[in-house]
Amino acid sequence: MKRPLLLTVAAWAVGAAVLRLTLLAPQHCPPVTPAEAFESARAAAAWIEANQYPDGSYVYEYSLAENTDLFGYNVVRHAGVTMSLYQLAAAGDPSVLPAADRGLGWMLRNLYRHADWAGLRDPAGGTVPLGATALMLAALAQRRIATADPGYDALMRDLARGMLALQLPDGAFLNRWDPGTLQPVPGERSKYATGEAFWALTLMHRLFPGEGWDAAARRTARYLAEDRDRVEGLEFPPWADQWAAYGFGEMASWGLAESEIRYLESLAARFGLLVRAESARRDTALSRLLHGRQARAAGMGTWGEGLAGLRQAADADPRLARLRPAIDERLACVAGMLRDRQVAGTRAAAAPNSVRATGAWFTEGVTRMDDQQHALSALLLASLVLSGKDPP
């Protein structure tokens, strides 16, 4: 063989090896059963319960290396963590209701009222973020599903009207209300809060049909499917919005427009790509160099939540039915990776503070309460989908 040919073959071999290590790195999706996914979700809930303060708030961040709580708080994440506990209760585990109700009590003490509506105020900043109100409403909806208790029905309607105080005619939302000016903060939007409000509105229609909440939800659905990424300048569309997927999962049985079907197809591809890329990452220096560090549990959990919402939509609309096998495969992969990376057993026992470590996920030695929130929801929903059950 001549030297140029040898060099060519060697170059192709090196190129193939590099490609194998980068773009075509093998997937690693640890196997997980529905029962194991549920057990892992329950362990995440146990972390939330064990790391709740007497006033109903939660440990925000914890550093494993320093064995120290990192101070700060986020009212939207508080509402989301509480929602995930109620979600678990709605799926059949009422043991978490006392902790969830303590979390609800914290929100009730920070309630803001104006005219005929209510919202959840940020005690640090004083404004009323849309996402906090939306996730408080979603939490109450999950509580209603779990307990059939109508005691907060009037408050749910007040919170829903509070969201509509921030809705624009095209279905978009402004991000927060300013109690000082008694007006929405002009021009401020959130790539998270619009989907959160959309899902909350679809839950309102489920619980209170005939009251018109579906009309507001449909306006936002069209905005999400047709305009949001462009108007808000979000990079790499579609934005991987699990809250939108939750909402469309609820809404699919109402009937979806063709633009909404296309949006959900693209959203499924986006979540699938994120999961595929993550499944190639390892906790090694070489993998971090080639693929970046492993995603935090909060991020991975949102992919699982989004896939579960899309699976609900695919069950309801025949135009999406062909996506179900791929969605199930990716959802199982997320659940397997989350369970595999959760702190448990001897690793938890060896931690400086086992209460802060057991059931948690750490990124660069730090866990945050929404790591447990999103992982809990993703694992719970995966356990239901993979065992053929409907989400709450």
Side-chain angles (χ1 to χ4, degrees), residues 146-167:
T147 66
D149 175 12
Y152 293 106
D153 287 2
L155 176 57
M156 291 175 67
R157 293 183 175 95
D158 292 346
L159 293 168
R161 284 191 291 270
M163 295 193 312
L164 295 186
L166 295 169
Q167 191 179 41

Side-chain angles (χ1 to χ4, degrees), residues 133-158:
T133 299
L135 290 182
M136 181 179 182
L137 177 52
L140 287 172
Q142 294 295 321
R143 187 184 190 280
R144 182 72 155 78
I145 294 165
T147 66
D149 175 12
Y152 293 106
D153 287 2
L155 176 57
M156 291 175 67
R157 293 183 175 95
D158 292 346

Side-chain angles (χ1 to χ4, degrees), residues 9 13 28 61 79 101 137 187 199 212-213 264 277 317 319 331 354 375 391:
V9 170
H28 178 62
E61 277 188 319
D101 282 346
L137 177 52
W199 180 41
W213 307 111
L264 295 181
D317 195 304
R319 292 169 292 177
L331 184 55
S354 62

Side-chain angles (χ1 to χ4, degrees), residues 23-224:
L23 297 177
L24 298 181
Q27 295 186 78
H28 178 62
C29 294
V32 64
T33 66
E36 289 169 338
F38 186 87
E39 176 188 6
S40 187
R42 189 63 192 81
W47 185 96
I48 295 170
E49 293 172 298
N51 291 284
Q52 185 178 44
Y53 295 118
D55 70 349
S57 64
Y58 309 97
V59 169
Y60 183 62
E61 277 188 319
Y62 167 74
S63 169
L64 186 66
E66 299 174 8
N67 190 22
T68 301
D69 292 344
L70 305 178
F71 293 100
Y73 212 63
N74 184 296
V75 66
V76 180
R77 288 178 178 141
H78 177 98
V81 169
T82 307
M83 183 281 298
S84 70
L85 292 176
Y86 282 131
Q87 201 174 32
L88 182 58
D93 184 356
S95 69
V96 296
L97 283 171
D101 282 346
R102 285 192 294 272
L104 174 59
W106 186 93
M107 291 190 282
L108 294 173
R109 291 191 297 275
N110 287 285
L111 204 63
Y112 170 83
R113 288 192 174 274
H114 176 74
D116 67 342
W117 58 265
L120 178 54
R121 185 201 294 261
D122 182 351
T127 61
V128 185
L130 171 65
T133 299
L135 290 182
M136 181 179 182
L137 177 52
L140 287 172
Q142 294 295 321
R143 187 184 190 280
R144 182 72 155 78
I145 294 165
T147 66
D149 175 12
Y152 293 106
D153 287 2
L155 176 57
M156 291 175 67
R157 293 183 175 95
D158 292 346
L159 293 168
R161 284 191 291 270
M163 295 193 312
L164 295 186
L166 295 169
Q167 191 179 41
L168 300 173
D170 65 353
F173 283 88
L174 294 174
N175 187 44
R176 67 182 69 240
W177 177 269
D178 184 347
T181 64
L182 298 182
Q183 295 290 331
V185 175
E188 182 184 322
R189 303 192 187 195
S190 164
K191 59 188 177 183
Y192 304 105
T194 298
E196 291 163 344
F198 170 54
W199 180 41
L201 286 170
T202 64
L203 289 170
M204 285 296 290
H205 176 67
R206 190 215 290 200
L207 293 172
F208 308 111
E211 294 187 1
W213 307 111
D214 55 330
R218 283 192 181 278
R219 286 195 296 274
T220 302
R222 191 209 61 79
Y223 174 73
L224 289 168

Side-chain angles (χ1 to χ4, degrees), residues 16-29 275-282 286-287 290-291 330:
V18 171
L19 190 63
R20 178 70 171 169
L21 287 170
T22 56
L23 297 177
L24 298 181
Q27 295 186 78
H28 178 62
C29 294
V275 175
R276 173 64 181 85
E278 183 63 26
S279 69
R281 295 187 175 113
R282 308 289 185 271
L286 179 60
S287 180
L290 295 174
H291 307 292
R330 291 301 184 218

